[in-house]
Structures are given as structure tokens and as C-alpha cells.
Amino acid sequence: EVQLVESGGGLVKPGRSLRLSCTASGFTFGDYAMSWFRQAPGKGLEWVGFIRSKAYGGTTEYAASVKGRFTISRDDSKSIAYLQMNSLKTEDTAVYYCTRAPREVYWGQGTLVTVSS
Amino acid sequence: DIQMTQSPSSLSASVGDRVTITCQASQDISNYLNWYQQKPGKAPKLLIYDASNLETGVPSRFSGSGSGTDFTFTISSLQPEDIATYYCQQYDNLPPITFGGGTKVEIK
């Protein structure tokens, strides 16, 4: 059974950093791209970015709203994808989800990041 | 970036009614469109992929159609468990992946 579990969320002050983890199981992690999405309270869904599998170079793409501040990485030996979030802003407050790409059938339960002073 | 215009933003219908949601892309996206269902406090659930393909395990009362710029999502007979917010999502010419604004479906 495919499972994705996000962790690392919490309350953080503006300008600080936070790293989220997405621990995967039930599939060969290294064969898949992994995506991150977010949803601000009471708002719609927003794509954050993704990381391709090593077979496709392991390269990353980001939404304009986070480019230069957020970094996605992966550790295939541990089946974990990471979302490093730097220079956090209040507007980054959201539930963050990881998914297996493409065709996002599998989602984690989400982890809440609150950016507030 | 490709903009997705989804309508209506909310609707109220009776159990058994046919419900239709539309999504218009700002440019041709072929059939690179998904439809998701999201219930409060839960992660989105993929219902339809590639505009018209029903994801495994999804009830057949859900369907999708369209290509190019105009897409339709239909619930043929609304059930109480279908109360949720529905989103279209395009994945052509990424990045970025973009979503419609969502349609909140309620029971009348």
C-alpha cells in the first residue's frame, strides 16, 4: 500500500526557515517524481514544486511564489522527499502536501505550517 | 502561465440531481486536465485524469469530458457523500501546474 507521511510543520516566525519531510512507503521511491502542494486556510490548492526522479536528472521546478526561497530535494536511500523553506512569509501559511507524480493519486495527510510573529 | 477558470464557485443541488462543473483554460491544454474532490480537513482525491479517464475505484456517476480549452465535470446523480469542493487542474506546459478556483457542492 502506497503511503506518504509529511512531517516537520509548525509555528515559525517570518524570515525563519523550516524543513518538511515526506516519508514514502509501498513503492519504489526512486522511480517517481515527487511534488509538493499547499493550501492556505480556507483557500484553494496551489502547486509548490516538484523533483524529478534520478532517471530524469533529479531536477526541480518551482512555482514563481516560492522560487529562490524553497528547495526540494530527495534521499532515495531513505525514501524521503524534503521541502526546505527559507525566508518564510506570512503568506506561506498553509497545509503542505506531498504527492507522488505524475498523476497525483497518492497524497499525504498534510502538515500545517504557520508563519506568524 | 495557464489560467484555469472554474464555474460555478458554489452550487446547491438535490440528491439525485445531475451536477455539472465547467473549467476553461486560458490556452489549449489538449487533454492534460485532472479533476479532484476534496472534503473538509482531507487531502484531495483524484477522480478523473487526462480529462475523461475515471481513476480506479471512483464511482461511475463521476465523469469528465472536453479537450483544448473547455472541460466539463459531471456527477450524474448527486449523493450525500459527494458533498465536497471540486477542483480542476491542468498539467500541460508545466511549470507551473495550475488549479481552478474550486466549486463547493452542497445539498439543497
Side-chain angles (χ1 to χ4, degrees):
Chain A
E1 179 193 5
V2 173
Q3 284 196 318
L4 300 170
V5 179
E6 301 94 340
S7 59
L11 175 63
V12 62
K13 289 180 167 50
R16 306 296 287 268
S17 299
L18 201 62
R19 189 179 78 162
L20 306 183
S21 299
C22 170
T23 302
S25 60
F27 64 99
T28 303
F29 181 78
D31 289 349
Y32 290 87
M34 298 296 294
S35 294
W36 287 91
F37 294 83
R38 68 183 181 182
Q39 187 169 36
K43 301 297 185 182
L45 296 164
E46 180 186 15
W47 172 74
V48 172
F50 66 75
I51 184 166
R52 297 177 177 86
S53 66
K54 293 287 196 299
Y56 289 88
T59 52
T60 53
E61 305 287 351
Y62 299 97
S65 57
V66 306
K67 195 169 185 178
R69 299 189 298 124
F70 289 12
T71 302
I72 299 173
S73 61
R74 61 190 301 153
D75 185 335
D76 290 350
S77 68
K78 296 181 179 178
S79 297
I80 300 177
Y82 299 101
L83 178 63
Q84 176 69 43
M85 303 184 293
N86 298 333
S87 303
L88 281 161
K89 304 176 182 180
T90 54
E91 52 263 42
D92 295 319
T93 293
V95 174
Y96 284 75
Y97 296 100
C98 67
T99 71
R100 192 184 81 174
R103 197 171 123 202
E104 284 79 8
V105 176
Y106 301 104
W107 293 63
Q109 83 289 352
T111 187
L112 176 63
V113 173
T114 303
V115 184
S116 174
S117 55
Chain B
D1 295 359
I2 298 173
Q3 310 301 319
M4 303 302 294
T5 303
Q6 187 174 341
S7 62
S9 56
S10 65
L11 65 88
S12 182
S14 299
V15 172
D17 281 356
R18 184 180 187 88
V19 168
T20 299
I21 299 168
T22 65
C23 200
Q24 185 172 57
S26 60
Q27 65 188 68
D28 190 334
I29 60 169
S30 184
N31 66 333
Y32 296 117
L33 184 104
N34 292 332
W35 289 96
Y36 292 88
Q37 175 193 66
Q38 188 179 31
K39 297 182 178 180
K42 300 293 187 182
K45 176 183 178 182
L46 179 65
L47 301 180
I48 303 287
Y49 66 95
D50 294 346
S52 60
N53 293 295
L54 194 67
E55 182 57 46
T56 303
V58 174
S60 59
R61 64 180 180 274
F62 297 102
S63 65
S65 64
S67 66
T69 61
D70 295 303
F71 301 87
T72 300
F73 172 81
T74 300
I75 307 173
S76 61
S77 177
L78 186 67
Q79 300 301 305
E81 60 266 32
D82 300 337
I83 300 314
T85 299
Y86 294 83
Y87 294 94
C88 62
Q89 174 212 54
Q90 72 79 25
Y91 51 98
D92 182 41
N93 194 31
L94 56 90
I97 292 169
T98 51
F99 289 87
T103 298
K104 187 174 184 179
V105 174
E106 298 176 324
I107 295 287
K108 191 182 295 183

